[in-house]
Amino acid sequence: MRQRDVFVTGMGAVSAIGNGTEAFSEALRSCRSGISCPKVLDTVHSALPVGEVGLGNDALKALLEKRMPVPDFSTRAALLGMLALDEALESASLYKDDCRKMVLVSSTAVGGMDETEKYYPFPGSVEENLIDRHDCGAMTDAIAARYGGFSMQATVSTACSAALNAIIFGCNLIKSGRADIVVAGGAECLSKYHLNGFNSLRILDSRRCRPFDKDRAGLNLGEGAGFLVLESLSSARSRNVSAIASVAGYANRCDAYHQTASSDSGEGAYLCMSSALEYAGLAPSDISYVNAHGTGTPNNDLSEGRAIERVFGACVPRVSSTKAFTGHTTAASGAIESIISLIAMRERFYPVSLGFSEKIDELSFVPVTDSRACGELRRIMVNAFGFGGNDSCVIYEKC
């Protein structure tokens, strides 16, 4: 087994099931979904269920400014990212003045599209600088500005695998000696473009999504943010902080099968899961729980399920998808679901796949459905698969 040299010493999250890890834990344990019809997003598709953070931008700013000022150019995604980052830093006993010695790696898919949408119907009649907030890096800039800047910052945008890729990038920075502490994760907000785009692909469910269910019909989009504080062993020891878990292994692979669909055999998913195990020096039997990408679409769940069976054979560990709690938070999903899994590891329970009722005929396993299921989650695997077959997997190990 490889020596572990990257540790998680803090985490923070916000999503439709609440603001903060305590709210997440309560929702997961009580099986309370955050999926509902949109109330904050102004959309004609008001009947499509989403995982929405139930606060408008003004309310988010007011909440954030209780701690420190918010830059004027902050988009909704940046505001959500700040909420998650506040908690992550606090839980790791880090402060604003520490940020200049740390690296920030953030991720998003649609960036400031919620602001761009205000500009294009009426160019010249609204603030011209709305367009300056559009690109993905602008979100990272706004987050970094609130904390007075970081020693280095980077933005990852690889669709739904982006946050896991940000975490992988952060681990590589620490392993290479480029950084001692990296805050890595992602943030995403709902927008008309986001919802309309996925609706045009005809992969949205008109009901709450049902991952790994025979009757699954699509996904529900969500919004939120999640950040992990990643730290070298020497840094954690010098600061005398306890680790939540170590990062045992990870991998990113791309099967380039299709612009949006997964391959029938789940080749990309199989490659990244098996490569992450190999990198960690672990056998499939060492994994206690898999937090699957599990979007609830007919294509993804069958493809990922086949890949899981290829990796684990007849001994598939407990598997669930938590997207029926939060919605699919796209670029932020890998970080949010890493945090959900780390909460489960800490509190010794298995998150359930809400909405499941009947097994997929082609698969041998069923996801976790018993909210009372508990046990030691020694090692957990988190999957996040992006468009174009950009697939990532991270394995966390209990300290």
Side-chain angles (χ1 to χ4, degrees):
M1 187 182 297
R2 289 176 179 268
Q3 180 179 347
R4 309 308 183 208
D5 45 16
V6 179
F7 295 83
V8 180
T9 57
M11 57 187 183
V14 59
S15 78
I17 57 173
N19 178 18
T21 55
E22 287 189 14
F24 271 48
S25 175
E26 186 279 326
L28 292 165
R29 284 183 168 278
S30 63
C31 297
R32 176 178 56 79
S33 173
I35 305 297
S36 64
C37 292
K39 297 179 178 63
V40 177
L41 179 66
D42 180 18
T43 173
V44 296
H45 300 297
S46 57
L48 282 175
V50 294
E52 193 173 46
V53 175
L55 296 172
N57 288 4
D58 289 342
L60 290 173
K61 288 178 184 176
L63 187 61
L64 286 162
E65 287 181 340
K66 291 178 180 179
R67 298 177 65 96
M68 65 184 85
V70 173
D72 290 337
F73 56 92
S74 300
T75 59
R76 182 171 178 83
L79 297 173
L80 295 173
M82 291 170 196
L83 272 180
L85 192 50
D86 276 356
E87 184 187 20
L89 293 176
E90 182 177 7
S91 70
S93 299
L94 293 165
Y95 306 94
K96 181 178 179 180
D97 291 344
D98 296 315
C99 292
R100 291 190 177 276
K101 297 177 288 185
M102 297 157 44
V103 174
L104 173 65
V105 184
S106 188
S107 64
T108 188
V110 298
M113 182 60 77
D114 58 315
E115 296 294 324
T116 309
E117 289 171 345
K118 299 173 186 176
Y119 176 82
Y120 271 100
F122 311 104
S125 62
V126 294
E127 296 177 67
E128 291 287 342
N129 65 3
L130 290 179
I131 205 73
D132 297 333
R133 307 174 193 178
H134 171 78
D135 71 84
C136 296
M139 183 196 79
T140 309
D141 288 342
I143 294 172
R146 181 167 182 257
Y147 299 91
F150 288 74
S151 67
M152 169 186 163
Q153 63 192 59
T155 307
V156 178
S157 187
T158 56
C160 305
S161 61
L164 276 197
N165 286 337
I167 291 167
I168 290 171
F169 182 31
C171 290
N172 287 336
L173 287 172
I174 291 172
K175 285 176 176 286
S176 66
R178 293 280 303 276
D180 288 318
I181 305 176
V182 179
V183 186
E188 199 84 276
C189 75
L190 289 168
S191 66
K192 294 178 183 178
Y193 171 87
H194 208 177
L195 191 62
N196 293 352
F198 274 81
N199 193 41
S200 71
L201 294 173
R202 300 185 184 280
I203 55 173
L204 295 182
D205 198 336
S206 60
R207 298 158 53 196
R208 191 177 71 191
C209 66
R210 300 170 297 286
F212 292 106
D213 188 70
K214 182 178 180 178
D215 187 41
R216 67 199 183 282
L219 61 87
N220 308 136
L221 276 178
E223 64 179 359
F227 282 97
L228 301 181
V229 176
L230 306 172
E231 193 161 357
S232 67
L233 178 59
S234 60
S235 176
R237 282 178 173 171
S238 68
R239 296 196 313 110
N240 195 30
V241 293
S242 299
I244 299 166
S246 65
V247 181
Y250 47 82
N252 169 260
R253 297 292 182 268
C254 188
D255 62 13
Y257 171 76
H258 186 271
Q259 284 183 321
T260 58
S262 304
S263 63
D264 291 342
S265 65
E267 185 67 14
Y270 167 77
L271 288 171
C272 75
M273 284 188 282
S274 56
S275 297
L277 284 166
E278 181 180 3
Y279 186 85
L282 297 173
S285 58
D286 291 322
I287 300 300
S288 309
Y289 166 67
V290 177
N291 186 291
H293 189 55
T295 60
T297 64
N299 171 251
N300 176 90
D301 293 6
L302 179 57
S303 174
E304 184 177 10
R306 284 172 168 161
I308 288 171
E309 291 182 336
R310 288 176 67 187
V311 172
F312 293 98
C315 299
V316 174
R318 293 181 187 262
V319 177
S320 70
S321 166
T322 50
K323 286 185 171 63
F325 284 94
T326 64
H328 186 0
T329 55
T330 52
S333 63
I336 290 173
E337 288 158 26
S338 289
I339 290 166
I340 286 172
S341 300
L342 290 168
I343 291 169
M345 174 186 280
R346 182 181 64 196
E347 301 182 14
R348 296 170 54 90
F349 71 93
Y350 294 94
V352 303
S353 274
L354 291 177
F356 176 85
S357 61
E358 189 172 357
K359 184 178 77 69
I360 297 173
D361 291 337
E362 296 90 338
L363 300 181
S364 63
F365 68 90
V366 297
V368 178
T369 58
D370 185 356
S371 61
R372 299 165 298 177
C374 59
E376 184 174 15
L377 283 68
R378 181 66 186 165
R379 298 178 187 92
I380 54 180
M381 174 182 281
V382 179
N383 290 338
F385 306 147
F387 283 167
N390 191 305
D391 299 333
S392 293
C393 173
V394 173
I395 299 170
Y396 300 95
E397 186 171 64
K398 190 172 184 178
C399 291

